Amino acid sequence: MSGASGMWRRMTADWGFDHPLLLALLLLAILPFIASAFVRRGIPTLGLAPADGVSRAVSLGLRLAGALAILAIVLGLAGLHRREQVIARQGTGAHLVLLLDRSSSMDNSFADRAPSGDQEAKSVVAKRLLDDFVARRARDRIGVAAFSTSPMPVLPLTDHHEVVRAAIAAIDRPGLAFTDVGRGLALALSSFAEDTDEASRAILLVSDGAALIDRRVQETLRDAVARTPVHLYWLFLRSRGAKGIFEAPPPGENTPQANPERHLHLFFQSLGVPYRAFEATSPQAVEQAIAEIDRQETRPITYVERVPRRDLARLAFAVAAAALALLLLAKLAERSLVRPASATAAAGREPVLRRAA
């Protein structure tokens, strides 16, 4: 008994009914095998007639059509549906957190002034290209965090990319004054705290500058990456004329106060995790950098695909309509074996008229 119940549960795991009590009406499907919608007439005997396989097949087919019509109508009334499915698949991708700079300097163009003419603000460029980036990463789980004066959680890791793209669409709103990248990075790392999947984890920092990171925050970040190793990418939107992060500054200027961006770059290098920085001074350079990051994060990943519930009541009613249409055509094609009385009388008078003529 337990084996039968287990088999039944496996068979019905993917299917469901909104009104299961109506399934008792399925017993009505035996009616076409008991009664007939067609006219039944007595015939003395068929013993001398040869076996007619076609007639028997048609008779059985019409009875099965009647039973099918009843079954389909009952299943439609009961609300037959396929339940939501959760399917594990293999693909390529990563668990990725976008860490976005929301300081007021992101509202300027790469010329470090308010956009004019065909110029775009750095935040607008980042929004457009990150949206394309997310659109190409169909298998990623993506979270969004931001920072300016303080860190701002925006979206936890999710595979609902339409929500991610909506969060990205808001990054060109007017920003705040300061840049606290240290606590912003700590917030991004905390996004992986409950992520137990064996997937590649990466943080994409999009910023046009940096500020000093407190020693205590630095130690917090070192502890965090030790517990949760990640791949770290920094897309540095460098304004024209600003100091770069790759060139060593002249003597006397190699201090965190004078060159915070370069020292942030050096700090990232010291974290002991895979790290790569991209320095972009134009929208084209930003596009190339994001394309390179896209190529880097293409590791095997197990992802979950959710297949939404599918209502099958309409399909059931369509099957019932087709079966009933077949029965209706058969009923319209039905002919009697006995001539009507008027036809018989006319046939009887015809020879008399001929003889009289």
Side-chain angles (χ1 to χ4, degrees):
M1 182 65 68
S2 60
S5 61
M7 182 179 297
W8 173 254
R9 283 195 298 271
R10 287 192 297 271
M11 291 175 59
T12 59
D14 297 339
W15 309 91
F17 299 92
D18 294 327
H19 310 289
L21 294 180
L22 291 178
L23 295 178
L25 297 177
L26 291 175
L27 294 175
L28 297 177
I30 65 175
L31 289 179
F33 299 96
I34 299 175
S36 175
F38 299 96
V39 177
R40 303 177 68 92
R41 298 185 181 277
I43 297 176
T45 181
L46 292 176
L48 298 178
D52 186 358
V54 174
S55 296
R56 292 180 179 178
V58 170
S59 176
L60 178 60
L62 293 177
R63 293 178 186 277
L64 291 176
L68 178 62
I70 294 173
L71 289 173
I73 291 173
V74 172
L75 292 177
L77 293 175
L80 175 64
H81 60 268
R82 186 178 178 87
R83 293 192 176 98
E84 180 186 63
Q85 305 291 305
V86 179
I87 305 173
R89 299 190 185 278
Q90 297 290 327
T92 57
H95 292 184
L96 179 66
V97 173
L98 304 178
L99 181 57
L100 308 175
D101 187 348
R102 292 297 300 115
S103 60
S104 57
S105 59
M106 288 286 289
D107 300 330
N108 295 333
S109 68
F110 284 92
D112 202 21
R113 58 173 178 264
S116 61
D118 59 350
Q119 295 179 337
E120 290 182 297
K122 286 174 281 188
S123 59
V124 173
V125 174
K127 179 181 77 170
R128 172 166 50 82
L129 297 177
L130 286 175
D131 184 77
D132 294 340
F133 172 77
V134 171
R136 295 192 301 268
R137 311 282 301 186
R139 305 308 179 200
D140 287 359
R141 294 188 69 210
I142 301 177
V144 181
F147 64 93
S148 59
T149 305
S150 61
M152 295 173 283
V154 178
L155 193 67
L157 287 170
T158 179
D159 53 4
H160 295 286
H161 286 191
E162 65 277 6
V163 183
V164 176
R165 297 173 74 175
I168 292 173
I171 69 173
D172 61 344
R173 300 294 187 269
L176 302 176
F178 300 105
T179 304
D180 191 350
V181 66
R183 290 199 295 160
L185 185 57
L187 173 63
L189 287 167
S190 69
S191 300
F192 299 110
E194 299 181 0
D195 183 21
T196 58
D197 292 348
E198 296 296 327
S200 176
R201 301 183 180 93
I203 295 176
L204 172 54
L205 167 63
V206 181
S207 175
D208 66 341
L212 297 179
I213 301 180
D214 184 84
R215 290 286 182 182
R216 289 173 296 180
V217 177
Q218 289 185 16
E219 293 305 318
T220 300
L221 293 175
R222 294 185 192 278
D223 292 340
V225 297
R227 293 192 304 270
T228 309
V230 297
H231 296 176
L232 179 59
Y233 300 94
W234 182 16
L235 179 54
F236 175 40
L237 307 181
R238 177 185 172 187
S239 301
R240 295 189 185 95
K243 298 176 181 178
I245 60 175
F246 298 117
E247 301 84 7
E253 295 184 14
N254 193 16
T255 63
Q257 292 77 13
N259 202 334
E261 289 80 13
R262 175 167 172 77
H263 279 265
L264 178 62
H265 171 60
L266 296 175
F267 171 69
F268 287 161
Q269 288 181 325
S270 69
L271 287 175
V273 297
Y275 163 67
R276 187 168 178 183
F278 299 86
E279 194 173 79
T281 57
S282 67
Q284 294 75 21
V286 175
E287 184 175 8
Q288 293 172 4
I290 290 180
E292 179 60 25
I293 296 170
D294 192 11
R295 287 190 292 269
Q296 292 287 329
E297 290 300 319
T298 53
R299 294 170 178 80
I301 184 175
T302 301
Y303 64 94
V304 173
E305 181 177 346
R306 293 185 178 275
V307 180
R309 162 179 159 150
R310 181 185 177 190
D311 289 320
L312 299 174
R314 290 186 178 181
L315 178 60
F317 289 135
V319 172
L324 290 174
L326 177 62
L327 292 173
L328 179 61
L329 290 175
K331 184 65 177 177
L332 294 176
E334 184 181 20
R335 294 294 182 268
S336 175
L337 296 177
V338 179
R339 288 187 177 185
S342 58
T344 303
R349 287 195 302 271
E350 184 178 356
V352 176
L353 293 175
R354 286 178 179 173
R355 286 194 299 270

